Amino acid sequence: MNSCFLTIMFSLLLFAGCSSPSGSKADAVKNSVQNSAEVAKPADKVNVPVFNADSAYNFVEAQVAFGPRVPNSNGHKACGDYLESKLASYGATVISQNVDITAYNGDVLKARNIIAQFQPEKGERILLCAHWDTRPWADSDPDPDMRYTPIDGANDGGSGVGALLEIARQLSLNPTELGIDIIFFDAEDYGRHADEWRDAVEGEETWALGSKHWAQNPHVKGYNARFGILLDIIGAPNSKFCLEGYSMYYARNIMAKVWNCANRSGYSEYFSMSEGGMITDDHLHVNRILGIPCIDIINCDVTSPNGFGPYHHTIKDNMDWIDAKTLKAVGQTVLNVIYNEK
Ligand code: AHN
Ligand code: ZN
């Protein structure tokens, strides 16, 4: 292979982005997304870093090695310290927002939202987020004896954080035009145990407690961002990310931006055009309380019992369900989106 060929290949990689003009076949998206206000930008060339999927995979593995990250556990504390120091090592200004939150069952959770600000002096910002805690119980496990056992949460918890740590690493090497905030929310997955669903009361909110606290008490007074992207359960092989209901309701043009970008980047197999249900997740509070349009990229699997995949909230949610190819599809798409924002 001659060096000229290599140079061309390298340039193609570096200049892959999502600001190409409209009219490509990837624009043939579902009407609801297509008819949004998002307009194609001129095709100026932007340097977009290459997302290293092996690095992201290793970041998932590193979290799982701490054991379950259940609030108040030793593994949770140690992993939180690890996440904070990793983000700081990538040049971010990092804040841990510590708060005691009472869960639906009376447990007082020593919760910790971990907030990393890249280029904090910039006014125009993008929010990227994931939850870092893991479910205290495998309450969807097929074996009833396992339903009070904590899970590894490789996919549910680990995957979104792993992809964002790799993005943080890229941000340390190549600055973006806008400021970026990466937030790892705590206490997302302490929602009511499936055995107690009959006790649920109308309107109760037992999930996504850390993000609710942050949205009510943002780390910066009057915090705002152009938009937000939540990554949740993004590591399984052959994942399908559907058009989640709250994302479509609150942030349709951001969905269009991201799904179009995924298509142009060659990831249409993962970014499905089928509609998903409305999922109570961290993005909901960002939308409802702060009014920042925030989407949720989350696996949907209508063939599985709870709609998120057969491993979800079972003891099988371990490294066997993490595929670097899926992390790549999501991570590269997010990089392409954020490096193209001006
Ligand atoms: C509910 O099941 C209501 N919300 C799911 C959000 C979630 C749980 N994401 C990860 N684990
Ligand atoms: Zn969960």
Side-chain angles (χ1 to χ4, degrees), residues 131 133-135 151 156-157 188-189 207 232-233 312-313 317:
H131 75 89
D133 64 307
T134 55
R135 186 130 178 91
I151 64 173
D156 190 357
E188 189 279 334
D189 232 342
W207 306 87
D232 194 12
I233 321 179
H312 185 251
H313 293 180
D317 182 357

Side-chain angles (χ1 to χ4, degrees), residues 130-188:
H131 75 89
W132 72 277
D133 64 307
T134 55
R135 186 130 178 91
W137 326 280
D139 55 339
S140 295
D141 205 276
D143 178 353
D145 290 343
M146 288 297 161
R147 291 182 191 159
Y148 288 86
T149 302
I151 64 173
D152 280 357
N155 202 7
D156 190 357
S159 63
V161 170
L164 290 180
L165 282 176
E166 169 58 10
I167 288 172
R169 193 176 73 84
Q170 295 297 342
L171 291 173
S172 75
L173 304 170
N174 316 274
T176 42
E177 194 77 22
L178 270 61
I180 307 285
D181 298 299
I182 292 180
I183 307 189
F184 296 151
F185 291 122
D186 203 353
E188 189 279 334

Side-chain angles (χ1 to χ4, degrees), residues 24-39:
S24 70
K25 83 163 196 266
D27 284 339
V29 294
K30 194 180 167 74
N31 281 345
S32 55
V33 166
Q34 203 169 30
N35 293 339
S36 82
E38 181 64 19
V39 288

Side-chain angles (χ1 to χ4, degrees), residues 237-258:
N238 309 310
S239 288
K240 292 264 181 271
F241 308 113
C242 300
L243 304 171
E244 186 275 327
Y246 288 119
S247 306
M248 292 298 279
Y249 178 77
Y250 286 109
R252 183 172 292 246
N253 63 331
I254 309 305
M255 288 295 281
K257 185 199 293 280
V258 174

Side-chain angles (χ1 to χ4, degrees), residues 23-29 34 259-266 268 273:
S24 70
K25 83 163 196 266
D27 284 339
V29 294
Q34 203 169 30
W259 258 245
N260 279 327
C261 180
N263 282 334
R264 291 195 192 113
S265 308
S268 53
M273 285 299 158

Side-chain angles (χ1 to χ4, degrees), residues 115-128 178-183 185 214-229 250 254 285-294:
I115 302 157
Q117 306 167 84
F118 290 85
Q119 307 186 77
E121 71 285 357
K122 291 199 162 169
E124 281 290 308
R125 312 196 63 76
I126 300 170
L127 169 64
L128 305 176
L178 270 61
I180 307 285
D181 298 299
I182 292 180
I183 307 189
F185 291 122
W214 174 78
Q216 290 168 334
N217 306 275
H219 60 289
V220 168
K221 199 163 168 278
Y223 178 79
N224 202 4
R226 190 177 284 180
F227 59 87
I229 303 177
Y250 286 109
I254 309 305
H285 301 303
V286 177
N287 282 299
R288 264 193 193 155
I289 299 172
L290 287 175
I292 296 171
C294 185

